[in-house]
Amino acid sequence: MGEEIAVTGIGLVTPGGIGAEQTWETVCAGRSTAHTDPALRDAPVDLSCRVPPLESGRGRLWRFDRSTRFLLIAAREALASAQLNPADWDCGRVAVVIGTAAGGIGTLETQHHKLLATGPTALSPMTLPAFLPNMAAGHLALELGVTGPSLQTSTACASGATALITAAFLLRAGACDIAVAGGTDAMVTPLCAAAFAKMGALSTRCDAPARASRPFDKDRDGFVLGEGCGLLVLERRQHADARAARVLAVLAGHGTTSDAHHPTAPHPTGAGLRSATSMALTGAGADPTDVDHVNAHGTSTPLNDAAEAAAIRDLYAPRHPTVTSAKGVLGHTMGAAGAIEAALTAMSIARRTVPPTANFTTADDSTTGIDIVHGTSRPQPIRLALSHSLGFGGHNTVLAFTSA
């Protein structure tokens, strides 16, 4: 795989809290953030997992799409965590790589309504800079004064993980020394909620929001729409050591494949996920017997969880790594999910703790034999952990993290 890639900073804005610590505490408590959402009152399913209210008076944030606001807030935390100051770095040697599934979809919907209701004079001049898919990375590069590569990736719900892989490639190719990478999305909108409901992808357990998202549970019936942002600061290990940075975890390997099976359904055997896992393990110089923990994609949809469970059960048998999914707490944060879950995986390694899978109470045939952590967090030393991300279009991405 080449030179080690160090994780030196983490920033999170999630339904579990503004910041990595608040998110970690919420996820470890197994406390669902799903609620009835007044903004979705006319949608077929009115549940969502929203980011807590952002502080007012955060400078120019009002100008940006909600997804970009999350990104700029998470970036401040990630840089502080990495003890990096943009005033001190070589701005031409820093990259920004951000994943998104839908860009500024909320801005697009709002401005379209204005156009229909009032006409073109009602449109904001910030419409295009707010919703174009590349602009989150562009705005962050502008905010940080970064002049290295600035890229946006889009592989649906694997977008944030794909951004981390892209950043690792840039670092190993010598295109930058530091990469601020991850994913952001704010798809809790009437259009997205109605569209996912029409597909049958959402949980319809509207009378019990907190128990709606049930990853791997026998009674799972779909996901809850969420939003948020996850960012990691990545550096080559040599660069991180040279500046005496604290290394939280090491991105030791990664794999990405395509199912070429169906526009929205995963391959039923998890074939593409297995291939991506093999690539990640090869990169990490490991085999399935070395894996201690899996942070699963675990959407709570019947098809995803069955396919992912089949891959996990067969890949690691007879040894069983611990498995968890954060979506019972945070909902499905779409293009941000891969980066948020990568951050949680790195935190699990650093803190020797596996958070529980909220709302998992009853196994079915597909999950028999899998060690799904549920109920409470479990203390566990972790040498090697994998983070899975799967996306519409058949995208499979696996990240392998080791301890520092």
Side-chain angles (χ1 to χ4, degrees):
M1 180 62 73
E3 191 171 358
E4 286 187 344
I5 302 299
V7 179
T8 57
I10 291 174
L12 292 176
V13 173
T14 77
I18 311 294
E21 284 301 328
Q22 285 188 26
T23 297
W24 177 256
E25 289 175 8
T26 305
V27 171
C28 284
R31 188 167 55 246
S32 171
T33 61
H35 291 87
T36 302
D37 189 334
L40 303 180
R41 59 185 176 278
D42 295 326
V45 175
D46 61 358
L47 303 180
S48 76
C49 293
R50 290 272 192 184
V51 165
L54 305 176
E55 291 181 17
S56 59
R58 283 185 180 266
R60 301 176 295 111
L61 287 180
W62 64 270
R63 302 174 60 193
F64 302 110
D65 183 78
R66 187 170 173 82
S67 61
T68 302
R69 293 179 214 167
F70 298 159
L71 175 65
L72 298 182
I73 294 170
R76 293 170 193 164
E77 183 187 28
L79 295 186
S81 170
Q83 297 184 308
L84 285 168
N85 185 345
D88 299 332
W89 63 26
D90 179 350
C91 61
R93 299 294 300 164
V94 181
V96 170
V97 189
I98 306 300
T100 183
I105 185 71
T107 296
L108 184 61
E109 285 188 46
T110 300
Q111 296 302 314
H112 189 230
H113 285 305
K114 287 185 177 180
L115 177 67
L116 295 178
T118 312
T121 58
L123 290 183
S124 164
M126 291 297 292
T127 301
L128 284 165
F131 93 78
L132 290 174
N134 69 301
M135 288 306 294
H139 286 308
L140 181 57
L142 184 64
E143 186 79 5
L144 300 178
V146 166
T147 59
S150 173
L151 306 174
Q152 200 93 19
T153 63
S154 188
T155 53
C157 302
S159 297
T162 303
L164 295 171
I165 291 178
T166 303
F169 280 134
L170 290 174
L171 286 163
R172 291 199 177 96
C176 59
D177 296 323
I178 298 168
V180 183
T184 190
D185 252 328
M187 291 179 64
V188 184
T189 70
L191 175 63
C192 293
F196 280 122
K198 190 72 175 178
M199 296 174 65
L202 299 182
S203 171
T204 59
R205 200 172 274 111
C206 297
D207 57 341
R211 295 178 56 77
S213 180
R214 307 173 67 86
F216 298 113
D217 188 83
K218 180 181 179 181
D219 295 326
R220 65 189 182 271
D221 69 335
F223 63 78
V224 175
L225 198 52
E227 60 181 8
C229 177
L231 277 186
L232 275 64
V233 176
L234 302 180
E235 304 173 58
R236 289 185 300 279
R237 182 62 181 258
Q238 187 175 16
H239 185 274
D241 289 345
R243 69 179 188 87
R246 177 187 57 158
V247 177
L248 304 173
V250 173
L251 178 56
H254 43 76
T256 181
T257 63
S258 300
D259 278 348
H261 167 70
H262 189 275
T264 58
H267 192 285
T269 67
L273 175 60
R274 297 171 198 232
S275 297
T277 300
S278 295
M279 294 169 66
L281 291 177
T282 298
D287 62 45
T289 63
D290 297 316
V291 177
D292 295 316
H293 171 57
V294 176
N295 190 304
H297 192 58
T299 58
S300 179
T301 60
L303 291 180
N304 174 90
D305 290 8
E308 189 173 14
I312 291 171
R313 184 180 55 248
D314 295 345
L315 272 168
Y316 304 110
R319 188 169 183 268
H320 301 296
T322 55
V323 176
T324 193
S325 166
K327 292 184 176 67
V329 171
L330 304 179
H332 195 340
T333 55
M334 314 313 291
I340 291 171
E341 289 152 12
L344 293 174
T345 305
M347 295 175 79
S348 283
I349 292 173
R351 300 174 186 217
R352 298 175 171 236
T353 300
V354 177
T357 303
N359 294 326
F360 175 86
T361 58
T362 308
D364 64 10
D365 290 344
S366 70
T367 54
T368 298
I370 298 176
D371 186 6
I372 297 173
V373 177
H374 61 285
T376 59
S377 298
R378 186 185 301 178
Q380 182 190 6
I382 300 171
R383 297 164 300 170
L384 174 63
L386 304 185
S387 182
H388 292 174
S389 296
L390 314 176
F392 280 177
H395 303 290
N396 307 285
T397 301
V398 176
L399 305 172
F401 291 98
T402 60
S403 58

